[in-house]
Amino acid sequence: MPLVRLSQLFIYSTLIFLLFSYSDLIANTIKVCPDCGIASVRQAVAIALPGDTVLVKDATYAEHDILIDKPVTIIGENHPTIDAQGQGYIFKVYADSVTIRGLKLKNVEVSYISDFAAIYTSKVRHFIFENNILEDIFFGFLIEKSHNGILKNNIIRGNAVKEHSSGNGIHLWHSSKIQILDNRIEKMRDGIYLEFVKHSEIKGNISLNNLRYGLHFMFSNDDRYEDNIFEKNGAGVAVMFSKQIFMRHNTFRLNWGTASYGLLLKEINDANIVNNTFEQNTIGINADGSNRITYEKNTFHNNGWAVRFLGACYGNKLLQNNFLNNALDISYVGRMNGNIFDKNFWSDYTGYDLNKDNIGDVPYRPVKLFSYIVNQTPETIILLRSLFVDIINFSEKVSPIFTPDNLQDLNPAMVPIINYD
Amino acid sequence: MFKILNYSFFDLMRSRWSYVYFLFYLGLGFILFFLNNDITKAVITLLNIIIVLTPLIGTVFGVMYYYSSREFTELLLSQPIKRSTIFIGQYVGLSLSLALSLVLGLGIPFVLYGVFQSAAIWDFATLLLIGAYLTFIFVGLAYNIALSFNDKIKGFGFAILLWLFLAVIYDGLFLLAMVFFHDYPLDKFALSVTMFNPIDLSRILILLKLDISALLGYTGAVFQKFFGTALGSVLSLLVLTVWIIVPTYFMVLQARKKDF
């Protein structure tokens, strides 16, 4: 037995020795600065061997289309600037295990034909892009057919004015297992755009003042987004044609305009929307053709519409949500209801609770006749808060004719639901 | 004219009803703040009250005041004073005292709860201005009705009917028309129809001030474009002023011809 152990020890120590000497041989650090021999990042990347680190000193480098075709780590000291001067991409990454950290990337070319980006990747794995600052760019990160990457702590500031001449902050296409964490994205077309992206996580980002959507999902299944803040985006957040999306603890604020939503759900099935806050949006959630979604413990306050169901929304559950001071709580099309409303708190509820169990004894009907009429004829919204409208709402409440009579919350909460999570 | 205005005004200021009206608004303001401390929300709640109550009270007071001060009016008519002077004096005196009750009654609690420090100050000011406008408009309309009917009950009936029509029935017909013609572009129609009803016009002016405009969707965009500009605000205030001038004109016309 001791023999065996000795031989094991020998093998291990040899391995460790080899490992260290290997890394000693390979992992050089190449310094880049205007007067230290290697004056450009491109040159440094060209002479680097796989596994090397390129250390970029604080200065401004006028470079574009830097090709990265081997696994290297590029680190900036005090955010050195790489200025593309309005020409092409800045980094084009074609190798696995590339890290880019601490750079300031500026002035990517604006084009109507190509999607120029500050960092572009194609068919790579295990990349890390963090702590970068991107300014005046067309696309920020353009990630294509790449997997297992991390985008963290980046600040992306665009100056988008028109949709057709602006790009997305973080654009993912045909990728999987990407983590988008703690980024701040402002004034782009879409803050974060995902198309055919699977098993990814979007967490702790702040996306505001974007022209179109703060976050835009297309055909992306099994993703989760949590703790993000979406504010003052042209049209809010759109989640379209996706399955098994998990949305938790996000804040949707101030998406206010004639065509703005907090959250737009289009053909979404089997999603979970939990513990989110919707505040002062024209429409909190606009759901169209979305089935089997659980809305739980969300808070909707001061929205125009809290939740607006358009056609073909079945098997949804709205449980323990707070509806506070919205102009219209629920808007619903059609006379058939296949959705469950239970134990929500409605600030418009006027029922009583005789046995003091904090559950109202009279069911609440969240769809008012007026919201039904507005769905049919949008112009009638002009009569909002008119005495006549209050009267017809009251009569419909007493005996529902137009709105589905089983669309009711049988156990309305008497006090707002508090979300501890 | 100012003497009569003065007399009417102070007569009313001393009367019990003005105090009741003033105390009602005062109590309402305090209760609103007692229930929630948010000035913006209080303004929205007040919107509903002002839109419905000021016209109603203006109408009722107008008719009541005319019939109860009839003998005094007849006494005045026997004096060498122009008829228009007498009636305009009474009308302005009454409207002014009602408007004052409204402004002071709501103003005091709002000022005490710090409307001057709040961003809602302009919304609140618009609200009071519109309340005052509605008072003048509906007292004028009530005076017209009262002048046309010697019978008290008939006068009251028609005045209440007028209020009911403008506050409720008009909106019902408006809604029916919009639902019926919903295949057609309705924004211009909606815009013009609101102009013919001072209550609707006031409601929309305040709604747009309260930034519910985005909620109004496409129609809202048209309305915002119209009311949101300085021109729109001026024009709608102008329309409200026309709503004061026209009934006053007819009142004078009627008073001149009427055989007392």
Side-chain angles (χ1 to χ4, degrees):
Chain A
M1 293 304 268
L3 259 177
V4 180
R5 265 195 208 151
L6 263 179
S7 64
Q8 271 182 340
L9 198 71
F10 177 71
I11 292 168
Y12 281 136
S13 50
T14 320
L15 269 177
I16 289 166
F17 173 74
L18 277 175
L19 208 70
F20 270 96
S21 52
Y22 180 81
S23 60
D24 249 332
L25 279 171
I26 304 292
N28 290 315
T29 298
I30 302 164
K31 284 183 185 164
V32 180
C33 63
D35 30 64
C36 51
I38 301 158
S40 77
V41 181
R42 181 198 309 277
Q43 203 184 344
V45 172
I47 62 166
L49 296 168
D52 280 0
T53 300
V54 173
L55 188 66
V56 185
K57 297 280 185 182
D58 191 1
T60 299
Y61 305 87
E63 294 185 61
H64 59 91
D65 291 323
I66 302 166
L67 198 70
I68 301 179
D69 52 1
K70 57 197 123 190
V72 289
T73 301
I74 299 171
I75 298 174
E77 262 187 18
N78 300 327
H79 288 100
T81 305
I82 301 182
D83 188 340
Q85 297 181 312
Q87 294 171 54
Y89 299 86
I90 294 180
F91 287 106
K92 294 170 92 167
V93 179
Y94 294 114
D96 290 351
S97 310
V98 170
T99 301
I100 298 175
R101 182 183 298 148
L103 296 175
K104 188 171 188 175
L105 307 172
K106 274 173 76 172
N107 296 332
V108 172
E109 183 175 351
V110 175
S111 163
Y112 296 92
I113 303 158
S114 305
D115 295 338
F116 293 117
I119 297 179
Y120 166 76
T121 75
S122 177
K123 297 178 187 162
V124 302
R125 287 170 185 275
H126 305 293
F127 56 85
I128 301 171
F129 303 138
E130 62 180 344
N131 299 339
N132 298 295
I133 298 171
L134 280 60
E135 278 179 355
D136 294 331
I137 39 165
F138 185 44
F139 278 75
F141 296 95
L142 182 53
I143 313 288
E144 287 181 6
K145 299 200 170 178
S146 301
H147 309 278
N148 301 82
I150 298 172
L151 295 157
K152 195 177 171 187
N153 261 333
N154 300 289
I155 296 171
I156 305 173
R157 279 190 220 112
N159 46 7
V161 182
K162 283 182 179 153
E163 272 188 26
H164 56 265
S165 58
S166 54
N168 303 327
I170 296 174
H171 186 117
L172 271 63
W173 184 68
H174 266 295
S175 298
S176 72
K177 294 180 186 148
I178 311 280
Q179 286 176 291
I180 302 173
L181 313 169
D182 305 318
N183 300 287
R184 184 185 173 95
I185 306 149
E186 279 179 71
K187 285 196 170 174
M188 301 297 292
R189 181 173 63 193
D190 286 347
I192 303 169
Y193 180 94
L194 288 85
E195 192 169 346
F196 306 110
V197 175
K198 293 188 175 67
H199 304 290
S200 293
E201 189 181 5
I202 298 131
K203 196 170 175 181
N205 301 286
I206 299 172
S207 181
L208 61 160
N209 293 323
N210 296 295
L211 269 194
R212 197 168 63 179
Y213 298 113
L215 171 73
H216 192 173
F217 261 65
M218 297 285 267
F219 316 107
S220 296
N221 304 333
D222 306 299
D223 298 307
R224 51 193 295 137
Y225 63 93
E226 302 179 66
D227 306 317
N228 302 291
I229 296 171
F230 304 103
E231 201 176 296
K232 290 185 186 162
N233 296 299
V237 169
V239 182
M240 304 190 188
F241 308 100
S242 305
K243 289 174 196 155
Q244 275 105 23
I245 304 287
F246 189 84
M247 314 172 207
R248 196 185 69 90
H249 215 279
N250 301 288
T251 304
F252 305 81
R253 295 185 66 226
L254 299 165
N255 298 295
W256 196 255
T258 50
S260 287
Y261 316 101
L263 176 61
L264 168 69
L265 302 172
K266 168 84 185 150
E267 309 285 332
I268 301 301
N269 293 328
D270 306 297
N272 279 291
I273 301 172
V274 182
N275 254 327
N276 301 286
T277 304
F278 298 83
E279 191 184 326
Q280 293 189 42
N281 305 290
T282 304
I283 300 175
I285 296 182
N286 195 58
D288 186 8
S290 299
N291 306 306
R292 298 180 300 280
I293 295 175
T294 307
Y295 303 82
E296 204 173 345
K297 292 187 175 169
N298 301 292
T299 297
F300 300 86
H301 68 88
N302 294 73
N303 300 288
W305 281 268
V307 183
R308 192 171 177 196
F309 289 108
L310 297 174
C313 291
Y314 301 107
N316 298 298
K317 287 180 199 152
L318 283 91
L319 313 169
Q320 293 186 293
N321 300 289
N322 288 316
F323 293 88
L324 311 170
N325 305 314
N326 304 295
L328 298 165
D329 285 331
I330 305 278
S331 157
Y332 193 82
V333 182
R335 293 194 190 177
M336 202 171 74
N337 172 39
N339 304 303
I340 295 166
F341 296 81
D342 203 24
K343 296 193 177 71
N344 299 291
F345 175 76
W346 312 89
S347 62
D348 283 355
Y349 181 60
T350 51
Y352 47 82
D353 177 22
L354 288 182
N355 55 359
K356 302 283 178 206
D357 58 353
N358 279 341
I359 298 218
D361 299 346
V362 190
Y364 179 71
R365 296 184 184 283
V367 181
K368 292 173 182 154
L369 178 58
F370 184 55
S371 76
Y372 171 83
I373 293 170
V374 169
N375 258 341
Q376 308 285 315
T377 318
E379 286 88 354
T380 52
I381 190 84
I382 204 75
L383 291 170
L384 183 74
R385 291 184 205 285
S386 149
L387 183 59
F388 179 75
V389 164
D390 292 344
I391 293 171
I392 61 168
N393 277 343
F394 180 74
S395 63
E396 176 74 10
K397 191 170 124 187
V398 175
S399 60
I401 299 165
F402 297 99
T403 52
D405 60 349
N406 67 340
L407 202 164
Q408 54 186 352
D409 191 333
L410 289 171
N411 303 302
M414 293 303 287
V415 287
I417 285 113
I418 304 163
N419 310 328
Y420 293 112
D421 83 323
Chain B
M1 187 166 100
F2 280 104
K3 213 158 198 174
I4 291 163
L5 193 160
N6 219 11
Y7 185 82
S8 283
F9 182 72
F10 282 104
D11 176 37
L12 275 158
M13 275 324 248
R14 275 195 299 270
S15 88
R16 202 164 18 138
W17 287 111
S18 285
Y19 284 114
V20 170
Y21 189 50
F22 166 72
L23 288 175
F24 167 73
Y25 276 120
L26 195 72
L28 185 79
F30 277 117
I31 285 167
L32 272 181
F33 282 112
F34 180 71
L35 292 176
N36 71 45
N37 253 318
D38 189 347
I39 288 184
T40 322
K41 265 183 219 152
V43 169
I44 293 180
T45 315
L46 271 185
L47 163 72
N48 292 329
I49 292 162
I50 286 209
I51 291 299
V52 176
L53 272 191
T54 19
L56 179 65
I57 288 170
T59 315
V60 172
F61 262 75
V63 176
M64 221 161 68
Y65 187 74
Y66 174 82
Y67 287 122
S68 64
S69 67
R70 219 186 131 103
E71 279 167 19
F72 176 62
T73 312
E74 276 166 15
L75 178 77
L76 281 177
L77 284 168
S78 65
Q79 309 297 316
I81 315 172
K82 271 169 77 182
R83 279 189 173 190
S84 60
T85 313
I86 296 171
F87 286 98
I88 289 179
Q90 281 187 347
Y91 162 61
V92 175
L94 174 61
S95 309
L96 216 58
S97 75
L98 286 180
L100 202 70
S101 296
L102 169 77
V103 170
L104 286 182
L106 285 179
I108 290 169
F110 270 76
V111 168
L112 286 183
Y113 275 89
V115 75
F116 288 118
Q117 279 90 48
S118 147
I121 171 81
W122 286 113
D123 299 337
F124 182 64
T126 319
L127 198 71
L128 286 189
L129 180 71
I130 280 171
Y133 257 105
L134 283 175
T135 306
F136 271 88
I137 292 168
F138 278 85
V139 171
L141 291 172
Y143 244 75
N144 263 303
I145 288 170
L147 272 168
S148 354
F149 298 100
N150 277 329
D151 185 6
K152 226 179 192 176
I153 303 298
K154 247 188 192 165
F156 259 107
F158 271 96
I160 294 294
L161 197 68
L162 177 81
W163 171 80
L164 199 67
F165 178 77
L166 289 177
V168 182
I169 300 169
Y170 188 88
D171 285 354
L173 295 174
F174 186 16
L175 184 73
L176 273 182
M178 281 203 283
V179 170
F180 194 73
F181 293 108
H182 76 272
D183 290 338
Y184 298 87
L186 287 170
D187 38 301
K188 294 238 168 62
F189 167 75
L191 197 66
S192 47
V193 168
T194 51
M195 285 287 171
F196 290 102
N197 183 344
I199 297 183
D200 273 348
L201 188 62
S202 316
R203 182 170 51 78
I204 286 160
L205 264 177
I206 300 171
L207 276 187
L208 288 175
K209 274 274 179 308
L210 293 176
D211 208 26
I212 306 182
S213 50
L215 186 66
L216 303 174
Y218 171 68
T219 325
V222 175
F223 273 72
Q224 183 72 60
K225 227 174 165 180
F226 179 74
F227 289 109
T229 57
L231 178 81
S233 302
V234 168
L235 199 68
S236 29
L237 282 184
L238 214 68
V239 171
L240 284 179
T241 314
V242 169
W243 266 102
I244 296 177
I245 292 169
V246 170
T248 314
Y249 174 73
F250 277 106
M251 184 177 79
V252 170
L253 216 65
Q254 245 184 341
R256 203 175 289 155
K257 283 183 195 158
K258 191 172 163 74
D259 184 17
F260 282 94

